[in-house]
Amino acid sequence: MSKPVPIPDAASAFFWEGAARGELLVQMCADCESFQYPPTVVCEKCQSRDVRPVRVSGRGTLYALTVMHQAFLPIFAEDLPFTIALVDLDDAPGARLLTNIVDAAPAGLAAGDPLEVVFEPRGDYALPQFRPARSQPERGGAE
Amino acid sequence: MKGARQATVVGVGYSSVHREIGVDTRPLVVDACLGALHDAGLTTSQIDAVFEYPGAGSQIAVNVQRLLGIPDLRAFGDLGGSGPSGLAAAMAAVAAVESGVCDVALVFRSVNREWGQQSGRTEVPPAGNAAQFTLPYGDFGGIIPSIGMKKYRRLAELGGSEEDYGHITLNARQWSAMYERGVLTQPLTMDDYLSSRFIAEPLRLLDCDYPVTGACAAIITTAERARDLAGAAVTVDSVAFGTGSRPDWTFSDDFVFGGTIGCAQHLWATSSVTPAEVDVAELYDGFTHITISWVEALGLCGIGEFGDWVDGGKRIGPGGALPLNTNGGQLASGRLHGLSFLTEAVQQLRGDCGPRQVPGARVAVVANAHGPQCGAMVLTRT
């Protein structure tokens, strides 16, 4: 038995295919420029059908986390305790991902902490997960 | 004013409650429904509508119609899945009665312990549709991970302490000890709460309700019909649903409160009373976070003020200024899943509660669920 692999649909295929390439993409509305997650068939703000994948930096901010001490699926028991979190993407306001926090003791984290994306291979795809930010955000015009 | 068609609750009934698995709920549903009919002074042939909230351990409305030998129905519905728990059935009955679709509605919720069991699964369900964004990350076990994150976020954003949550659990045990159907009736200390194991940290075992097998029922009819009945009628003063914007248990705009705040606003906007007039509150406690959300959303105290307001538990306990979950709720008297908050409110307003009776209770507020599936009612007795 292996861990569950995401089953993309027409609206979400770009997200999982992007993750498989090591890229984080979210939907942006071409009409009102709102970001949204999870991906769906219309813009939930203006109902435009013209929602497009855009690549984001992968930098985010911790919104909330929970440390799982009980695996409700036995396949996750080997990972206990593991951390599930909600992360707000810095350059896609309104897009909040459910994810895992890796490479960090959860007790050392607090809401608002800066995070960065990493990709965990899973079947034909990969899961965007987050760890504490190591690199400084690039600043335009600094050089 | 709704006049003669004003919805009233005229009877409540319960089955026995069981902690073991494998119990057939059909006899229990019959017991609860016949109990409510007896309480109301009605017979099965006078019922013309049946509403219920389905799920494992339940029977659909027409199956219970058969079991009870009700000749025909003018209205029925199975209001499951996305609605405000067991209260959804009563909310539908109120609308049907007040609109004139039916006159005497039976509502019930039957549930089994297996339905509350999130662990012990071995097969991995497919991570498609909405689950593709949660399940691959180990987010499984109903809404437990989401509730763990809501507790975390509330503590981070609004402050307060874990003891605030503990007071909900300790309070439930105080009341269940005085309730003939109490299930977990041993008193708890705050140390007991704070040392209970983490499930989805910071969510603890003692933040979660207790799964049981059982049923409860209520009869809802018009004020006009109620006048002909022997029992005391309780008025359904106002009813409201609530979802919040972009409703979802995880990906919603208001993650901490879900739809509770909007639901409460709708509820008071159509009520004849105010939050300050509430004598007793019966607020869903599937998880302690839900109860705290409702206390604040309903304006019983300010947002983020629960910890001070609860006053070490004194305010919500026996003899307190605002008794809360006076039958021990689902935390201590078992998860009958929502409708038991309504039946307890009705009993309190009728003065039927014996040692746990809130003296002179005339206004009760009832709320169910959280997130995208909120529902609430104000009940009054003049």
Side-chain angles (χ1 to χ4, degrees):
Chain A
M1 201 160 61
S2 54
K3 286 183 180 155
V5 176
I7 303 169
D9 55 43
S12 69
F14 78 88
F15 177 79
W16 295 115
E17 289 163 5
R21 299 190 302 269
E23 298 177 4
L24 185 62
L25 297 96
V26 294
Q27 270 184 337
M28 190 186 81
C29 175
D31 289 322
C32 77
E33 301 188 339
S34 298
F35 295 95
Q36 62 185 13
Y37 187 86
T40 185
V41 294
V42 296
C43 170
E44 293 179 346
K45 288 258 171 34
C46 76
Q47 288 66 56
S48 169
R49 262 69 170 177
D50 195 357
V51 282
R52 301 175 182 181
V54 293
R55 188 174 178 186
V56 293
S57 67
R59 287 190 295 275
T61 303
L62 180 65
Y63 178 78
L65 65 77
T66 184
V67 184
M68 299 302 292
H69 290 265
Q70 180 169 338
F72 292 96
L73 286 174
I75 193 71
F76 286 96
E78 66 195 38
D79 295 343
L80 292 177
F82 65 93
T83 304
I84 296 172
L86 289 168
V87 173
D88 290 324
L89 299 182
D90 288 356
D91 41 7
R96 178 176 295 158
L97 272 60
L98 184 119
T99 186
N100 298 121
I101 302 293
V102 296
D103 299 339
L109 292 170
D113 280 0
L115 304 168
E116 64 188 19
V117 73
V118 293
F119 294 92
E120 160 88 2
R122 180 73 61 85
D124 290 337
Y125 303 103
L127 303 188
Q129 298 178 327
F130 284 79
R131 69 183 181 194
R134 295 174 184 178
S135 53
Q136 290 300 310
E138 291 167 31
R139 296 185 192 282
E143 294 297 318
Chain B
M1 293 299 290
K2 294 157 186 159
R5 292 214 69 85
Q6 166 69 55
T8 61
V9 186
V10 293
V12 298
Y14 295 89
S15 72
S16 52
V17 174
H18 303 263
R19 298 171 69 164
E20 63 270 29
I21 61 170
V23 176
D24 186 343
T25 55
R26 288 175 298 178
L28 305 182
V29 176
V30 171
D31 286 347
C33 292
L34 291 179
L37 283 163
H38 177 77
D39 188 36
L42 290 164
T43 62
T44 52
S45 62
Q46 292 171 287
I47 295 296
D48 65 2
V50 178
F51 295 97
E52 65 97 27
Y53 184 103
S58 192
Q59 323 298 330
I60 62 171
V62 294
N63 287 353
V64 171
Q65 178 197 353
R66 284 177 66 108
L67 290 171
L68 294 174
I70 299 169
D72 198 6
L73 294 179
R74 293 169 60 196
F76 62 95
D78 304 291
L79 300 144
S82 62
S85 308
L87 192 63
M91 295 167 78
V94 168
V97 163
E98 291 187 347
S99 72
V101 171
C102 60
D103 287 325
V104 184
L106 167 67
V107 304
F108 69 87
R109 175 73 173 110
S110 79
V111 62
N112 65 20
R113 183 179 168 95
E114 290 87 331
W115 190 71
Q117 205 78 35
Q118 299 293 348
S119 53
R121 226 178 245 251
T122 52
E123 85 284 9
V124 179
N129 301 318
Q132 68 184 292
F133 306 108
T134 54
L135 184 55
Y137 300 94
D139 181 350
F140 193 72
I143 58 172
I144 285 172
S146 170
I147 295 289
M149 288 190 288
K150 289 177 200 293
K151 183 178 179 184
Y152 179 95
R153 182 65 196 185
R154 180 190 161 82
L155 290 167
E157 185 175 317
L158 296 175
S161 67
E162 269 221 83
E163 281 85 345
D164 300 348
Y165 287 78
H167 285 305
I168 299 290
T169 303
L170 271 54
N171 179 67
R173 296 292 184 100
Q174 281 196 283
W175 287 104
S176 66
M178 295 189 289
Y179 183 42
E180 65 274 21
R181 294 182 191 86
V183 174
L184 303 177
T185 55
Q186 294 299 308
L188 288 175
T189 66
M190 190 58 78
D191 281 347
D192 293 331
Y193 171 79
L194 293 173
S195 59
S196 70
R197 69 183 171 91
F198 284 125
I199 307 291
E201 184 180 354
L203 182 78
R204 297 177 181 277
L205 179 67
L206 289 178
D207 286 312
C208 309
D209 64 0
Y210 186 78
V212 294
T213 296
C216 64
I219 311 287
I220 295 173
T221 188
T222 63
E224 185 174 31
R225 286 294 288 272
R227 278 193 285 275
D228 300 332
L229 301 174
V234 166
T235 300
V236 180
D237 181 71
S238 65
V239 174
F241 289 82
T243 60
S245 59
R246 300 182 69 238
D248 190 80
W249 282 98
T250 301
F251 301 106
S252 60
D253 284 343
D254 190 337
F255 181 70
V256 173
F257 284 91
T260 58
I261 291 175
C263 182
Q265 288 168 348
H266 303 318
L267 186 72
W268 295 124
T270 55
S271 175
S272 69
V273 296
T274 65
E277 295 173 81
V278 172
D279 297 313
V280 59
E282 310 292 350
L283 308 178
Y284 198 86
D285 63 352
F287 299 97
T288 52
H289 178 88
I290 293 177
T291 320
I292 294 177
S293 294
W294 277 115
V295 168
E296 295 186 348
L298 286 164
L300 304 178
C301 69
I303 299 292
E305 295 174 1
F306 177 82
D308 289 336
W309 176 86
V310 77
D311 190 19
K314 288 197 283 291
R315 185 179 297 269
I316 59 176
L322 187 54
L324 171 72
N325 295 352
T326 52
N327 62 358
Q330 299 183 174
L331 288 165
S333 295
R335 176 169 51 180
L336 294 178
H337 198 227
L339 193 61
S340 52
F341 294 91
L342 173 70
T343 53
E344 173 66 6
V346 168
Q347 290 193 286
Q348 284 287 352
L349 296 185
R350 289 163 141 197
D352 285 349
C353 288
R356 71 183 192 285
Q357 178 64 44
V358 175
R362 286 290 178 269
V363 176
V365 64
V366 177
N368 262 202
H370 194 264
Q373 48 195 102
C374 297
M377 264 189 205
V378 174
L379 300 160
T380 58
R381 170 107 188 269
T382 47

